[in-house]
Structures are given as structure tokens and as C-alpha cells.
Amino acid sequence: GADVAHPGPGIFTRPSVASVVASYDSNWAKYGSYLDMQAPRLEYIENIEAMMRVCTPVFLTLSAQTLPGRLIFYRDGLSEGEYDTVAAAERDAIQSQLSTSHSNTIKGAPPFRLTFIIVAKRHHIRFLPEVQAPRENVPPGLLVSEGVIGRVYDNFYLVSQAGILGTSRPTHYVVRERAQDMTLELCQDLSYFLTHINARTTRSVALPAPVHCKPTTSSEQT
């Protein structure tokens, strides 16, 4: 998962901070985190290839020198206008770097399969139950995959969290790139399951773990 944190409004001298996390276990519960500073207000992660290059040796060490055959990448913080620019450039950089790592590590092995999912929180779509009383919010686990979705890419809305105060805001998932063996239903199930492994709460949260956990130090965090 990846995101870029920008300085506050009106501040143009401080750098933005890009972060990438990578899971190292089969339960998707342990992550290493990597930070890099870049130009202010730049949403594209400039050194995404180098950051992925650092992730690879750690994964190899913890997986008996075996690279993953499938990579599922969650990207937070992108607007609709950046789907064909930022997301496409980062996808190509990730694919280039990991294909090189894969071919250098395992001679003659098939390339890995990449799935690139954009996670969007800033939108105005809300869902309400048909019967208001006694419930004011839709139940957690609501999936909307037709009617209000876009037609360009595979996408869906998911309300994974229970509404405690106010109207629950669904999370919009846009599948920018999907491997042939990765069905849309599997993307939906995986995204929902990943909202249940947050270490700080016993509830499901609004975002999947790879883009919900924020690194707190510049060193690896698990």
C-alpha cells in the first residue's frame, strides 16, 4: 500500500512525505514501512521503484528466498483526474522493478501478476437504508457494485465500518489494473477482510490495512 502526506494549506516550502508498506506474512498482518521525502505537493511517488527495491530483499529473507507470484497494491490519495497519469506511471514503475527482481532471482520464472487498486475517501456518495427506523445507517459489509459506479474501470463502493456517529461514508475502490486470475469478487472480498485486521481496534475500519496504517518512524515498522 502507498500514500503521500502533504504539508498544511499554504505551506509550499516543506517537502511531501511518500510512504510504502509491504506485508511479510500470509495473514497480511505484519508490515514493513518505508518513507521518502519529495517535492512539496507532488502526488506521484518519485522514488517508487527504489522503495519497492528495498521491500524485495526483506520479503526474500522472510520467505525462504521466494518472491511472490502475485502483487496486490492499494493506493490511497488519488483523485479521478490522476487515474490515467499518477496511477498509470506508478503501476508501470512497480511492474518494471518487480519484473526485474523476479527475473534476477528466479531464472526462467514467469513474471508476477499485478493488481492495482485505488482507494478513494473524498467523494459525496452516501447510502441509506430504505427503512430509516430503527437503524439510521446501512449495516457494515454493504457492497454496491452497480447503479452508481463508473463505467471506465472496475469499481465498487464498500461500507466496511459500523456507523457510530453520523452517516457512514462508503469507501470507493477503483481497480486500475487487475491480473487475469484476480476476479473482481476476490478484490471485493479481500478489501473487506483487510479492514478487520487493524491492531488498534476490535472493530472493522473504513480502509484496508495497507492504506490505513500510518508509519510513525523512518525505520522499518512491523
Side-chain angles (χ1 to χ4, degrees), residues 139 141-146 156-159 188-189:
L142 174 73
L143 171 70
V144 178
S145 58
E146 59 183 15
F156 56 92
Y157 289 91
L158 178 62
V159 181
Q188 295 166 349
D189 289 343

Side-chain angles (χ1 to χ4, degrees), residues 27-38:
N27 296 320
W28 295 49
K30 295 181 179 180
Y31 292 83
S33 62
Y34 307 92
L35 304 180
D36 188 40
M37 291 189 295
Q38 59 186 38

Side-chain angles (χ1 to χ4, degrees), residues 2-4 6 15-20 36-53 75 86 89-90 93-94:
D3 194 7
V4 178
H6 301 291
S16 294
V17 179
S19 61
V20 171
D36 188 40
M37 291 189 295
Q38 59 186 38
R41 304 291 173 183
L42 179 63
E43 187 59 45
Y44 169 67
I45 301 178
E46 289 182 305
N47 294 325
I48 184 69
E49 283 195 60
M51 298 175 80
M52 297 301 297
R53 194 180 304 125
R75 180 62 160 93
V86 175
E90 292 180 354
I94 294 169

Side-chain angles (χ1 to χ4, degrees), residues 22 24 31-35 54-55 58 62 215 217-222:
Y24 295 134
Y31 292 83
S33 62
Y34 307 92
L35 304 180
V54 175
C55 297
V58 182
L62 299 177
T217 67
S218 58
S219 59
E220 181 181 317
Q221 171 185 327
T222 57

